[in-house]
Every structure is written in C-alpha cells, then in structure tokens.
Amino acid sequence: MDPTPSTNNEKTLSLDGKRFLVKYGGAAMERQEVREAVCAEVATLAKRGAQLVVVHGGGKEISRLIENLGLQTHFVDGVRVTDAEGMRATEMVLSGSINKDLVSRITRHGSRAVGISGRDAHLIEAKPLIGKNGEDFGLTGEVVRVDPSLVEDLLKAGLVPVISPVGETADGQPLNLNADYAAAAIAGALEAESCVFLTDVPGVKKDGLVLPKLTPSEINQLIEEGTISGGMIPKVECAVRAIAAGCQEALVCDAGKPNVIASALESKSDTGTSIRSFHTAL
C-alpha cells in the first residue's frame, strides 16, 4: 500500500506543479524494504502533483559485479578509479539493473517512471576527474554542464525521470560520476525547490543531536572543527553546490524513516537537516 503523507496540525503542503529532486543511493539502497518504501513514496508524491526527479547511485552493487567478474576495485581517498572494464560494469549496474528496478517499482505504485542516464540527449557533459595531487582516476569524471531539456520534456509529459549518474565527454566517452554531485548539478539546472539527499543517517549531527538547520557558512565551520567528517562531507558539500546552482533548499535525511520525503518537503522539524543560504523558521 502506498504511504500516506505525514500530517500534523498544519495544513498539508500543496505540491501541485512544484519541482523536487530526490537523490537516493549508498547504503540506503541495500535494504529492499527501504527501497520499496522510497519508490512508493515517490509515486505517491507524483500523484499529488509534484514534479519529481530521482537521481540514484549504486556503488555497492558495482563493487559486487566487478568482484564477480574477477576484476579489481581500486579507490584513492574514497574515490573509485574506473578503468575500461570497470566502466562497462558501471553502466550495466547503474543504467541497467538498478535504474530499471527503481523505474519498475515507482510505476507499479501508480506513477509512470522512465529511466535515463546522463548520456541520454547529452544530459550531463563531464570530464575526467583529476585529483588534488594530480591523481588519475581513469574513467571517473566530474560534471561540466547539464542540459535539462530532456528532463523538462519528461516532466511536462507527466513522467518521473529516474537518472543514473553516468555522463559523457563532448566526444561521447562514458564517465562514472559521483551521484551526489550529479544530483546537485541537475537540481540546480532544473531550479528545483528542494534537493533531498536520502542517506542511512538521520541528518547532520553535533554532540549526538541532529542539527535541523544549517547555512553554508555554518557547514564550513563544522567541517573545519571536525564535527562534519567522513562520508557526510561530500553530502553537505553537494547540498551547498545545489543551492549555489539555483536550488532553494537541500535536505539530508534518513531514507528509512516513514514518509521521509513528504516530511522533508513539508519542513517537519524532526525530519533531518535543512540547508539554506539563510535561516528560516520551521
């Protein structure tokens, strides 16, 4: 059964015609019941009139396929080095099995979804990633620009675009992209009202408590003092990028919480961490 929007004493937010991007990936994709709930909620919100775009990851499934194929997985400072064989495996997983699984689940819950990658209609142009110290990451890339016209057309047709983070160079070479950075760039290009990063943690924490609101300057301070560390750093950096690119708000929240997307969009204070360029009342 589809999840119902969470409620409180406030009037439920009207989502009709409003545009949101949901980034879903990492460890939050590993539990099948959570994956099903997220797809069901995406479908429910689309039926409420929201224009929803989903960008997904799939690093753990890529690693499993590479291992099954007898290939090697190599990381430098947490970034995957992608060779030619690894790139073929990456497209098989991201643009193939994961993408179509999410599309099927959303569609079965009543909203028509369609799967694309950053290579379709040259949606995401990218270039090879070079590390801070000149490291060569092979066919791992970074976003250069986004052409949102294909996504705009799909939204106008009433579809839910589900996008795999595979981009390509100007001459068509596929590149493996970090899904968080791809999501931030697409959210900005679409001028989405919110970019929701679904993770396996409840938000950004300090002294064991979730911080409900942050600004980019506060994020920088928390990174410098070590409060934000590890895998949370790219999440909040991408949230800041989404805002700088034109998105009004970014949110970091736990994919396993019931009705998490609706709660985030309706600014429920216990949902996760909301990041804006300035503080607003909850």
Side-chain angles (χ1 to χ4, degrees), residues 28-161:
M29 294 189 72
E30 293 294 288
R31 292 166 54 196
Q32 292 300 310
E33 67 273 18
V34 173
R35 187 182 291 200
E36 187 70 14
V38 167
C39 290
E41 190 180 11
V42 166
T44 296
L45 294 173
K47 287 185 286 187
R48 285 178 58 189
Q51 291 189 344
L52 272 171
V53 177
V54 177
V55 176
H56 65 82
K60 291 184 180 296
E61 291 194 34
I62 293 170
S63 294
R64 284 195 290 268
L65 177 58
I66 286 176
E67 182 179 351
N68 290 340
L69 293 173
L71 305 174
Q72 297 295 317
T73 299
H74 181 48
F75 293 85
V76 175
D77 294 332
V79 179
R80 187 188 300 272
V81 178
T82 309
D83 60 15
E85 290 294 331
M87 188 66 238
R88 282 191 280 272
T90 295
E91 283 207 273
M92 288 170 63
V93 170
L94 290 180
S95 302
S97 57
I98 291 180
N99 188 272
K100 300 316 171 190
D101 177 68
L102 297 176
V103 165
S104 176
R105 291 175 191 253
I106 294 168
T107 300
R108 283 188 280 111
H109 282 283
S111 289
R112 295 189 305 154
V114 60
I116 61 174
S117 81
R119 301 186 72 187
D120 290 297
H122 205 59
L123 168 60
I124 305 176
E125 184 172 321
K127 65 180 181 180
L129 177 66
I130 303 297
K132 295 178 181 178
N133 298 312
E135 299 94 341
D136 181 0
F137 290 97
L139 296 177
T140 296
E142 61 179 323
V143 178
V144 173
R145 63 180 60 87
V146 173
D147 177 359
S149 57
L150 172 61
V151 179
E152 297 272 8
D153 290 343
L154 295 172
L155 291 172
K156 289 176 184 176
L159 298 166
V160 177

Side-chain angles (χ1 to χ4, degrees), residues 178 180-182 184 195 197 233-243 250:
N178 178 290
D180 289 328
Y181 288 92
C195 182
F197 292 90
I233 291 178
K235 284 283 187 300
V236 295
E237 286 182 343
C238 289
V240 172
R241 284 190 179 208
I243 294 168

Side-chain angles (χ1 to χ4, degrees), residues 172-242:
Q173 172 68 57
L175 293 174
N176 179 20
L177 305 176
N178 178 290
D180 289 328
Y181 288 92
I186 295 170
L190 291 170
E191 298 182 342
E193 294 201 19
S194 296
C195 182
V196 182
F197 292 90
L198 296 181
T199 73
D200 59 342
V201 295
V204 180
K205 289 184 176 181
K206 182 174 183 179
D207 299 326
L209 300 175
V210 174
L211 299 171
K213 298 183 292 183
L214 286 172
T215 64
S217 61
E218 290 170 340
I219 286 172
N220 290 334
Q221 180 180 343
L222 291 171
I223 292 174
E224 289 177 4
E225 68 185 36
T227 298
I228 298 177
S229 61
M232 184 57 71
I233 291 178
K235 284 283 187 300
V236 295
E237 286 182 343
C238 289
V240 172
R241 284 190 179 208

